[in-house]
Amino acid sequence: MITFLLTSLLGVMLLGIPILISIALIGFVGMAMLPDVVMPLFAQKMFGQLDSFTLLAMPYFILAGSIMTAGGISKQLVDFARALVGHFRAGLAHASVVGSMVMSGVSGSSTADASAIASILIPTMKQSGYKPGFAAALIATAGTMGAIIPPSMTMVVYGAIAQVSIGGLFLGGIIPGILIGIALMITIKLYTYHPAYPELRQVTARFDLCALWRSVSSAWSGLLAPLIIVGGILSGVFTATEAGAVACVYAFLVGYFVEKKITLSKVPDILVDAAITTSMVSGIIAVSGPMGWVLSYLQFDGMVLSYVSTLSTSPTMILFILAGVMIVLGTFVDSLIVLLVFAPVAVSVTKTYGLDPFQVGLVMVICNQIGAVSPPTAPLLFITTSIAKTPIDQTNRHVWTFMLAETLVLMLVILIPGLSSWIPNYFLK
Amino acid sequence: MKALFAAIDRSIELFVAAIFMAMVVIGSWQVFSRFVLNFTPSWSEEVQIFGHIWLVFLTIPIAYRRGAHITVEAIRRIMSPWMSKGLDVLIELLWVGFAIATAYYSYRVSLVTRNSVSPGLEIPMSYPYYGMILGSVYLLFVVIRRFAGELPTPDPDELPPEATRL
C-alpha cells in the first residue's frame, strides 16, 4: 500500500495537479483505504500539523522578508556586496555570492534570495559579458544559502515536523552556510583560469573604502537584522518564533520611520502577499498531516530504516545513503515534499544511531536545497533562467560545477558533525 | 454582482491582514512582556497558533484565486490543448472535493471539540476548526466562480517567481 500511495503521489504531482491537492488526495485515499479509520481524522490531522508554536516562525520570517524587500533592502545589500568584493577578478560573480549570503540573513527563503539577487545583478553581469547561463546557475546555487544561513523557512518546516529546536537548527546553519559561500567563491576563482571564460578575468572596479562605508551606512538595517535574530536566540532573549515576530516589528519600524519607504496604505497588501506565501507552504504542511499519519500508521519510517540498516551499520554511511536518496528524489520531485516525507525517517535515524539532531537536520536541509537546483525539476534554476532570458540548457550546463561545490560542503557536514552541531550545542545548553 | 464578489474578496483579504497583524503584535508583546514586565501571558501562544490556522485556511482560496499554488508544470507544457483543458477541469473538481471534505470533517470534529476548553485562552477547542470551515466554504465559493467563468484561469508563467515556494 505504501508503494501504491507514494507512486500515486508522484504520478498526480507530475501530471500537474497542485502539490497541496495531490498530498491531500493521497492522504484522504490512504485514510479511506485503512480499516476502522474515522474520516474526521482527516481534518483533525490537518489541524494537528499546524497546532505548533514553532511553526509560527515561518509566517513571521516570510513577513519580515517581505517588509524589508518592500523597503528596498535587496538593492542596498547588493551594493554593499559589490563594494566589498566587486574589485576582485570576476567581481560581479563574487558579489552575487556575498550578496546572497547577506540577503540570507534577512529573507530565510532561497527563492526570495535567488529572485532578488538575480533581478538586480544578472542584467549587469550580462552587460559585462558574463554568459547568462553561468550567471543564472551561480545565483540559483548561491540562493540556496537563503535556506541554510539563519533564518530559514526550510529549517522551520523540518524543526516543526521532526521536533528539533529551530533556534538550534538556525545556529547550526551558520558554519555550513558560510562554507557554501566560500566553496562557491573558490569555484568562481577556478573558472577564472578557464580559457572559455575571459570575461571572468576582468577587474571592473577598484576597492574604495569610502564607497564601502557609504554602502554600510545605507544597508545597516539589513546587516543588523541577522545580528538581532541570531544574537537574540544565542543569548536566550527569545525563541526562534519570537525572533520572527521581533524581526517583523524591526523591519516595519526601519521601513516606516528610518527608510520612509513603507507607507501605512501599503501594509495590508504586504500582509496579504506574505499570507499567500505562508498559506502555500503551511497549506502543504497541513495537508501532509493526514498523509504523514497514514505513512506512519503503515510504519514507513521503520521500513526505510530497516532497509537502510541492511546496507550499512555505520552512522556516517547511513547519513550518506539518506542524503543520496534525498538528492536523487529531489531532482525529480519538489524538494519540500521529499523533506516532508523523509523528516520522520530522519528522526528515526537520529534516535537509532545516536546522531546529533542538528547535524541530521542540516544534512536534510542542504540536501533539500541541492534538490532545488538539480535539473530537471529545479525551481531555483527556473527563476534565475527566466530572469537571465536564456535557454535552460545553458543554465543546466553550468550548474553542475556549483552543485559539486555545495555537495562537497554537504560531505564535510556529514563527516565532521561539529560543523553543524558545535554552535547550537555550545550556546543552547 | 461582480462588485459584490470583489467586495467579499477584499473583505477576506483585509480580515487575513488583520489576523496577521494581530499575530505579530501579540508575538512581540509576548517578548516585551516577559523581559520588561516580568510576566508571560498564558494566552498569547494559543492566539498566535489559532490565528495561524485561520490565516492559512482563509488564504488558501486567495492563493487559489491568484493561481499561486505550487504546481509541477513540466508535463503540462507538452500536453495537447484538450488534454490540458481536461486536466484543468479535473483540478477544479479536486479543489471542490478538498473544500467539501475539509468543511464537512472540520464541522464533524468541531461538534466533538466544542465541549473541551483550550488551556491558555479557555475557549472551546472548536474555534480553530471554524477557521477551517470558513476557509473551505470560501474556497468552494471561489472555485464555483471559476467554473462559472467569473474568474479567469491564471497563467502560471505570469506569476511573480518569489511567490511560488520556499
Side-chain angles (χ1 to χ4, degrees):
Chain A
M1 186 171 164
I2 289 178
T3 316
F4 165 73
L5 291 175
L6 291 180
T7 47
S8 305
L9 177 66
L10 193 66
V12 289
M13 270 190 323
L14 290 180
L15 191 64
I17 291 172
I19 288 170
L20 187 148
I21 286 295
S22 303
I23 299 177
L25 179 70
I26 298 304
F28 189 86
V29 170
M31 278 187 166
M33 285 170 75
L34 291 175
D36 306 325
V37 172
V38 285
M39 286 312 286
L41 201 62
F42 178 71
Q44 200 271 328
K45 288 295 164 196
M46 283 198 285
F47 165 82
Q49 198 78 338
L50 296 184
D51 184 16
S52 152
F53 184 65
T54 50
L55 193 60
L56 284 169
M58 187 171 56
Y60 291 153
F61 282 119
I62 287 174
L63 180 58
S66 301
I67 300 173
M68 294 206 100
T69 310
I73 196 68
S74 321
K75 172 87 173 58
Q76 293 163 353
L77 291 176
V78 169
D79 287 346
F80 164 74
R82 288 184 71 172
L84 192 67
V85 293
H87 59 286
F88 290 178
R89 278 184 175 185
L92 281 170
H94 286 296
S96 72
V97 176
V98 175
S100 294
M101 217 185 255
V102 286
M103 186 73 191
S104 300
V106 175
S107 78
S109 150
S110 48
T111 317
D113 259 28
S115 59
I117 301 293
S119 49
I120 296 168
L121 273 182
I122 284 183
T124 318
M125 290 168 95
K126 281 169 76 175
Q127 278 169 15
S128 304
Y130 281 67
K131 292 172 180 58
F134 171 89
L138 170 64
I139 293 178
T141 320
T144 63
M145 287 186 287
I148 297 163
I149 292 175
S152 156
M153 309 311 150
T154 314
M155 286 180 189
V156 175
V157 173
Y158 177 77
I161 293 171
Q163 304 288 307
V164 179
S165 155
I166 291 169
L169 287 171
F170 279 8
L171 299 178
I174 295 174
I175 296 176
I178 293 171
L179 283 179
I180 289 170
I182 293 170
L184 292 177
M185 290 175 82
I186 292 172
T187 312
I188 296 167
K189 178 77 184 161
L190 293 175
Y191 260 112
T192 62
Y193 298 115
H194 196 300
Y197 295 85
E199 70 276 9
L200 296 179
R201 286 189 283 281
Q202 292 169 10
V203 177
T204 51
R206 286 177 54 194
F207 181 69
D208 180 351
L209 195 61
C210 294
L212 180 63
W213 174 247
R214 275 196 305 276
S215 71
V216 170
S217 54
S218 146
W220 68 269
S221 60
L223 296 170
L224 198 59
L227 298 181
I228 293 174
I229 295 163
V230 174
I233 297 171
L234 274 178
S235 59
V237 173
F238 35 67
T239 63
T241 305
E242 290 169 343
V246 170
C248 291
V249 174
Y250 167 80
F252 175 74
L253 293 177
V254 169
Y256 185 73
F257 290 106
V258 183
E259 306 283 348
K260 297 190 188 341
K261 285 186 177 156
I262 294 172
T263 57
L264 287 180
S265 60
K266 279 187 187 170
V267 171
D269 287 326
I270 293 174
L271 285 162
V272 171
D273 286 345
I276 288 176
T277 311
T278 300
S279 82
M280 284 152 47
V281 182
S282 290
I284 289 174
I285 292 169
V287 295
S288 74
M291 188 186 74
W293 181 84
V294 171
L295 289 178
S296 125
Y297 183 91
L298 298 170
Q299 298 180 326
F300 171 66
D301 52 335
M303 279 170 59
V304 174
L305 194 63
S306 61
Y307 174 70
V308 168
S309 314
T310 60
L311 302 175
S312 173
T313 49
S314 150
T316 309
M317 270 315 291
I318 297 284
L319 265 184
F320 269 114
I321 294 168
L322 189 65
V325 171
M326 278 198 66
I327 292 175
V328 170
L329 282 177
T331 58
F332 299 105
V333 188
D334 187 276
S335 39
L336 175 62
I337 309 305
V338 181
L339 189 73
L340 289 172
V341 170
F342 275 86
V345 177
V347 175
S348 301
V349 166
T350 310
K351 284 183 186 153
T352 312
Y353 291 93
L355 290 160
D356 187 279
F358 302 125
Q359 185 200 11
V360 178
L362 256 298
V363 169
M364 297 290 284
V365 171
I366 297 172
C367 290
N368 171 278
Q369 289 305 307
I370 293 175
V373 287
S374 52
T377 311
L380 292 177
L381 293 185
F382 297 156
I383 292 168
T384 53
T385 304
S386 71
I387 294 170
K389 298 186 177 66
T390 187
I392 188 82
D393 309 352
Q394 291 302 311
T395 311
N396 290 349
R397 206 159 65 83
H398 288 94
V399 80
W400 301 108
T401 43
F402 299 118
M403 266 175 66
L404 179 68
E406 191 158 355
T407 308
L408 289 175
V409 175
L410 169 69
M411 288 164 78
L412 285 179
V413 172
I414 293 175
L415 292 169
I416 309 169
L419 291 179
S420 51
S421 63
W422 179 74
I423 298 181
N425 286 325
Y426 183 82
F427 284 97
L428 296 182
K429 274 189 178 163
Chain B
M1 195 65 100
K2 230 178 169 93
L4 176 68
F5 288 166
I8 294 172
D9 291 341
R10 190 60 186 160
S11 307
I12 298 274
E13 287 184 3
L14 291 177
F15 184 43
V16 163
I19 293 174
F20 211 160
M21 175 92 87
M23 285 166 62
V24 172
V25 170
I26 291 167
S28 313
W29 170 256
Q30 185 173 306
V31 179
F32 177 81
S33 174
R34 188 169 66 239
F35 279 92
V36 180
L37 309 175
N38 283 325
F39 163 75
T40 307
S42 61
W43 48 268
S44 60
E45 285 196 6
E46 240 170 42
V47 174
Q48 294 172 75
I49 292 170
F50 291 175
H52 182 220
I53 293 170
W54 273 71
L55 177 129
V56 169
F57 280 88
L58 282 171
T59 315
I60 285 174
I62 301 175
Y64 165 86
R65 215 179 66 222
R66 298 193 187 182
H69 284 293
I70 309 164
T71 307
V72 180
E73 293 284 336
I75 292 185
R76 182 194 277 271
R77 288 181 201 279
I78 53 170
M79 277 182 186
S80 61
W82 67 267
M83 273 180 77
S84 185
K85 188 78 193 156
L87 180 64
D88 280 339
V89 174
L90 175 67
I91 291 171
E92 305 305 345
L93 288 173
L94 286 172
W95 277 111
V96 169
F98 173 70
I100 292 174
T102 305
Y104 177 64
Y105 291 124
S106 300
Y107 169 71
R108 292 269 303 272
V109 179
S110 74
L111 293 179
V112 180
T113 52
R114 68 182 174 188
N115 296 322
S116 54
V117 173
S118 72
L121 278 167
E122 298 184 357
I123 56 168
M125 278 302 289
S126 52
Y127 281 27
Y129 287 96
Y130 295 152
M132 293 169 70
I133 298 170
L134 186 64
S136 306
V137 170
Y138 178 54
L139 176 62
L140 197 58
F141 170 67
V142 178
V143 181
I144 290 169
R145 278 162 59 199
R146 182 159 294 154
F147 260 129
E150 198 266 329
L151 277 178
T153 306
D155 182 351
D157 291 336
E158 289 180 5
L159 286 175
E162 67 277 13
T164 52
R165 43 171 293 129
L166 278 183

